[in-house]
Amino acid sequence: MTGPRYTPLAASLPATVPFVGPETQERARGRPFAARLGANESGFGPAPSVIRAIAEAASGAWMYGDPENHDLIQAVATHHALLPDAIMVGEGIDGLLGYLVRLLVGPGDAVVTSAGAYPTFNYHVAGFGGTLHTVPYRDDREDPEALLARAAEVDAKLVYLANPDNPMGTWHDAAAISRAIDAVPEGCVLLLDEAYIELAPDGTAPAFDPTDRRILRMRTFSKAHGLAGLRVGYAVGHPELITAFNKVRNHFGMSRVSQAAALASLADQEHLAGTIARVARSRDRIAEIARANGLTPIPSATNFVALDTGRDGDFARALLQALIEHDIFVRMPFVAPQDRCIRISCGPDREMELFAAALPQALDSLG
């Protein structure tokens, strides 16, 4: 028997995942982490109203979710004062990224991103045979001018830009993003990943303009809303591109429970505001802990803080491993020179104090 006949593209790809999950690490270590500060989840959790909505929806979990996500799309449209035909709901930004790349990118098509930016996007591009072109960060921020210049050089079909950025937490203001949109070459789409936008300062996001075919914006309920485990995201763009998602998406990808949870969370703006305030306090606490131990916090508009070790990537990796040995789950950027940093997710006071206790011990163990 010959077995499966993989496509040449699939056969050429490594069987890897963009991130090694904390659960995988816990199984390998034989014990759980004491503080889960690596995946940029919201340790503050969803609103009580959302938990009630999940419980109420659970009895209907035997039914498929509404394949049109009608109620959630209507609610998102109302929230942003947009028409529903400008919105597509999907299984988190990661799921929507896969659908968008499937729509636009074929073998050999040029795609542009920043070296060291969100790796799941690159994973999708590789999976559909695209050719990835990268530009470096500038001053620990993604460089919109360089991204769009490279897109023009290589006739890119798609450009990825996160604002605020992961893994550095840095951001550009709305004026800079508007200039980037104006610089998008003919036949190209700028994908603006705004996963952390609720946590950013006012003036970070330009106004929505669904008449503009050059840009697609993606947002999520995984970060500020605290629903990472339910996988809910949405895209905002020109109705023609939004409609095209129906050609390739999993129409039953969204569960009834996920839809109900996102609806309840969107309605509970008071809890969202409280979470944003708690994240801001946690960012300040992480920065305080870092400075007390000789590390430099990089200003962040997200629910994590990148800490500059002042050394190189080898030292940062050793520090990350030392923190893991002290039962603190953290991550770090993959690409130099940003890999001189470790990245700490915001969390409740108890986890911050565990990190505060472990960091000096981890540093001392490195000599």
Side-chain angles (χ1 to χ4, degrees):
M1 298 178 64
T2 60
R5 292 183 290 175
Y6 298 108
T7 67
L9 174 59
S12 73
L13 294 172
T16 59
V17 296
F19 298 103
V20 178
E23 294 83 4
T24 302
Q25 296 183 42
E26 287 174 334
R27 287 190 290 270
R29 299 167 72 245
R31 65 181 189 275
F33 287 110
R36 185 172 168 129
L37 300 173
N40 302 343
E41 302 146 326
S42 176
F44 304 109
S49 60
V50 174
I51 296 173
R52 290 193 296 270
I54 291 171
E56 292 170 4
S59 64
W62 62 274
M63 294 180 282
Y64 292 112
D66 173 13
E68 295 182 357
N69 300 290
H70 177 270
D71 291 348
L72 183 53
I73 286 175
Q74 294 290 326
V76 171
T78 298
H79 179 70
H80 290 301
L82 297 169
L83 294 175
D85 62 2
I87 297 161
M88 175 57 61
V89 165
E91 304 92 313
I93 286 181
D94 286 355
L96 291 166
L97 287 175
Y99 296 140
L100 179 65
V101 174
R102 185 177 181 184
L103 275 173
L104 299 182
V105 178
D109 286 339
V111 177
V112 175
T113 188
S114 300
Y118 190 49
T120 302
F121 175 71
N122 304 0
Y123 175 86
H124 289 304
V125 172
F128 288 101
T131 300
L132 200 66
H133 301 264
T134 62
V135 301
Y137 279 62
R138 183 174 63 186
D139 299 326
D140 290 325
R141 300 199 301 171
E142 293 200 63
D143 188 343
E145 293 180 0
L147 286 166
L148 275 303
R150 180 62 60 85
E153 291 173 5
V154 300
D155 190 25
K157 297 182 75 173
L158 186 60
V159 175
Y160 177 88
L161 171 64
N163 192 54
D165 172 65
N166 179 11
M168 300 307 293
T170 49
W171 70 100
H172 295 277
D173 62 21
I177 298 301
S178 295
R179 289 193 296 272
I181 297 169
D182 289 340
V184 173
E186 183 68 27
C188 182
V189 172
L190 174 63
L191 168 57
L192 184 61
D193 182 340
E194 296 181 311
Y196 300 93
I197 198 66
E198 292 92 348
L199 304 163
D202 290 341
T204 300
F208 286 110
D209 180 8
T211 68
D212 195 334
R213 298 172 182 270
R214 301 171 296 181
I215 182 167
L216 183 73
R217 297 164 71 165
M218 292 187 180
R219 296 190 177 183
T220 185
F221 286 86
S222 294
K223 307 303 180 186
H225 289 271
L227 295 176
L230 290 183
R231 313 307 301 128
V232 187
Y234 60 95
V236 179
H238 191 281
E240 181 182 287
L241 178 54
I242 294 299
T243 299
F245 274 81
N246 289 312
K247 299 179 179 183
V248 299
R249 71 181 177 92
N250 178 0
H251 288 257
F252 290 94
M254 297 297 303
S255 76
R256 300 178 73 87
V257 176
S258 295
Q259 292 174 25
L263 276 167
S265 191
L266 193 62
D268 199 335
Q269 291 295 306
E270 182 179 356
H271 184 270
L272 178 62
T275 297
I276 292 169
R278 286 188 285 273
V279 167
R281 289 194 294 271
S282 184
R283 284 195 303 241
D284 290 343
R285 179 65 178 129
I286 293 169
E288 179 183 82
I289 294 166
R291 294 190 186 100
N293 288 277
L295 307 183
T296 302
I298 293 176
S300 172
T302 66
N303 66 346
F304 63 85
V305 182
L307 304 182
D308 189 340
T309 66
R311 306 279 288 275
D312 60 10
D314 289 340
F315 180 84
R317 278 182 283 276
L319 177 57
L320 179 144
Q321 188 58 45
L323 285 167
I324 288 174
E325 290 170 2
H326 284 82
D327 296 334
I328 310 295
F329 167 58
V330 299
R331 283 186 172 139
M332 62 180 287
F334 297 126
V335 175
Q338 283 70 45
D339 70 346
R340 72 189 189 281
C341 301
I342 60 171
R343 193 193 69 190
I344 311 299
S345 299
C346 297
D349 291 343
R350 174 186 172 276
E351 296 202 348
M352 291 296 97
E353 295 317 307
L354 289 170
F355 172 61
L359 181 59
Q361 297 178 54
L363 287 165
D364 287 346
S365 71
L366 300 183

